Amino acid sequence: MVTLRFSNRDVIVQLKDVSVIIKNDKTCSILPEGKPEQKEWKGVTVTTHPKAVYVAVPDSELLYVPENMTVKDAKKLSCSVLVLSAPQEKLAKALNPRMVVLLQSTTETSRAMQKATGIQTISVDNNSALNLAAYNALSSQQRLGQF
């Protein structure tokens, strides 16, 4: 089960025994035993992009964009969950995730973005937690490594 926690524009991706902390400045740490420079630990892979951080967990892919990113910058990226610090409809349409999470945004803003993009969009505040399975944001397709 994957849970996202939000605090002051930082994102914590929690799995059973591994957590990934993504800071607003795009620095990452994998806990409990990972080191800040470590990019892979127990099935979790973290990749930093000039304007985003990509986290692959066993059943989901998360892209955290703490600043504006153009569609051109995101050309080769994909994700099932897109976490944005500000609404970016063109980026969401280009990436076509299963869900968009808007940080520190209003419900009206998330509804407007969902209506414009057709992608499930929610807004979260500080100290919020989000269970991705409860929002149907996890991929239902099996990965090749699971066969």
Side-chain angles (χ1 to χ4, degrees), residues 22-59:
I22 308 169
K23 299 276 187 192
N24 191 24
D25 62 359
K26 298 184 290 284
T27 58
C28 302
S29 298
I30 300 177
L31 301 174
E33 298 175 32
K35 298 175 183 164
E37 65 274 2
Q38 194 168 5
K39 299 296 181 195
E40 189 170 346
W41 183 256
K42 292 189 178 181
V44 176
T45 305
V46 177
T47 308
T48 55
H49 184 274
K51 295 190 177 185
V53 176
Y54 173 82
V55 180
V57 294
D59 50 359

Side-chain angles (χ1 to χ4, degrees), residues 78-91:
S78 67
C79 62
S80 55
V81 179
L82 177 62
V83 180
L84 299 171
S85 59
Q88 298 182 50
E89 293 175 8
K90 289 181 182 179
L91 180 64

Side-chain angles (χ1 to χ4, degrees), residues 99-114:
M99 181 170 68
V100 174
V101 178
L102 294 177
L103 299 178
Q104 299 175 348
S105 183
T106 63
T107 304
E108 291 80 19
T109 305
S110 63
R111 285 182 185 158
M113 187 165 171
Q114 181 168 337

